[in-house]
Amino acid sequence: QVQLQQSGPGLLKPSQTLSLTCDISGDSVSGNLVAWNWIRQSPSRGLEWLGRTYYKSKWYNDYAISVKTRITITPDTSKNQFSLQLSSVTPEDTAVYFCAREMSNAFGIWGRGTMVTVSS
Amino acid sequence: DIVMTQSPLSLSVTPGEPASISCRSSQSLLHTNGYNYLVWYLQKPGQSPQLLIYWGSNRASGVPDRFSGSGSGTDFTLKISRVEAEDVGVYYCMQTVQTPPAYTFGQGTKLEIK
C-alpha cells in the first residue's frame, strides 16, 4: 500500500523559502511509469498544480509557469522522498500543499496536506 | 492554459437519487492515443482529494460502480446513479492532456445531502 507522508514548517515570513518533503512508502521515487507531484489549494486559487519530478532513464522536472522562476522539486533516492522548494514567498503562497503520485495521468495517491501560512 | 468549467457549482440530492456534474474544457482533451485525459476527484470534508475516474471513464480501484464518467473532447459528465450519504464533498475535474504539463482543475462542485 503506497503512502505519502509530508513534513515541513507551516509558518513563513515573506521573502523566505518554503521547503516541504514527501516521504514515500510502498513505492520508489525512481519507479517506472510514475511521477511525483506537488499541488496546492487555497480559497482564492482553488487547486493549483505546481510541478513534478520523474525518472525515465534520467531525471526530469516539469513546473507550472506561474511558479517556474521560484520552484525546485528534487528527488532523493537515498531517502526515497522528494521535496519542494518555493523561494521568495508572499502571502499569496498561503495554501494547503499536497504531494501526490501520478500514474496513468491521474493523481491516485495523495499526502494529507500541509497548511503553509506566509505572514509577517 | 486549458480552462476547466464545472456546473453546477453546488447541488443538493436526496439519498438514493441520481446526480450529475458537468465539466467542460476550453480545448479538446482527446489525446492522439484515443484516451481523454480527464480526471475526476472527490474531496471529502477535511480530507485530501481522492481519485474517482481517470482517462474520462475508467473507475479507480475501490471506487463504487455507482460512479461513472463519460464524454469526449471538451464535454464530460460524472454521474452518481444513487447518491449515498458518504458521497458528500466537493467534486473536481482535472485535465492532464497539455504538454508540457500544465494540469488544471475545475472550480469544484459541492454535493450536499437533502
Side-chain angles (χ1 to χ4, degrees):
Chain A
Q1 182 183 0
V2 179
Q3 291 185 319
L4 303 178
Q5 180 68 42
Q6 300 179 218
S7 60
L11 182 60
L12 294 170
K13 296 186 186 301
S15 80
Q16 290 185 327
T17 295
L18 180 160
S19 294
L20 297 175
T21 298
C22 186
D23 290 316
I24 304 164
S25 58
D27 200 348
S28 170
V29 71
S30 51
N32 290 326
L33 303 178
V34 293
W36 305 96
N37 291 254
W38 288 97
I39 303 112
R40 66 183 179 184
Q41 184 175 32
S42 65
S44 58
R45 302 166 77 102
L47 284 163
E48 181 183 14
W49 175 78
L50 297 176
R52 67 178 186 173
T53 189
Y54 63 97
Y55 185 78
K56 196 172 184 180
S57 301
K58 67 175 186 177
W59 287 101
Y60 293 88
N61 290 101
D62 296 301
Y63 299 130
I65 291 175
S66 61
V67 295
K68 194 176 180 68
T69 61
R70 301 192 290 132
I71 190 173
T72 305
I73 296 176
T74 307
D76 185 335
T77 56
S78 66
K79 297 180 180 178
N80 202 33
Q81 63 182 205
F82 62 109
S83 62
L84 166 69
Q85 287 197 311
L86 189 66
S87 64
S88 305
V89 296
T90 72
E92 287 196 353
D93 295 310
T94 294
V96 178
Y97 286 74
F98 298 97
C99 59
R101 185 183 78 163
E102 177 187 352
M103 201 167 179
S104 301
N105 308 103
F107 304 143
I109 306 291
W110 294 66
R112 298 185 70 171
T114 301
M115 179 67 215
V116 175
T117 301
V118 180
S119 175
S120 55
Chain B
D1 285 359
I2 297 176
V3 177
M4 306 298 289
T5 304
Q6 293 182 228
S7 63
L9 297 184
S10 67
L11 69 166
S12 183
V13 183
T14 301
E17 293 297 305
S20 181
I21 300 170
S22 171
C23 178
R24 291 187 171 176
S25 58
S26 60
Q27 299 176 36
S28 176
L29 304 187
L30 181 61
H31 195 276
T32 53
N33 62 13
Y35 290 105
N36 284 282
Y37 282 29
L38 187 281
V39 187
W40 289 99
Y41 300 97
L42 164 59
Q43 187 172 28
K44 295 183 178 182
Q47 297 185 17
S48 306
Q50 59 186 77
L51 177 63
L52 296 175
I53 304 286
Y54 63 98
W55 288 338
S57 60
N58 292 70
R59 261 191 311 275
S61 176
V63 174
D65 60 7
R66 64 178 182 274
F67 290 92
S68 64
S70 63
S72 185
T74 61
D75 290 312
F76 299 89
T77 303
L78 175 71
K79 292 183 179 176
I80 310 173
S81 59
R82 296 173 304 280
V83 170
E84 297 186 5
E86 65 180 21
D87 300 335
V88 297
V90 182
Y91 290 79
Y92 295 95
C93 60
M94 180 186 84
Q95 65 80 17
T96 57
V97 76
Q98 210 163 339
T99 304
Y103 302 158
T104 48
F105 294 83
Q107 325 95 298
T109 295
K110 186 174 184 178
L111 183 138
E112 297 176 330
I113 298 295
K114 279 185 183 175

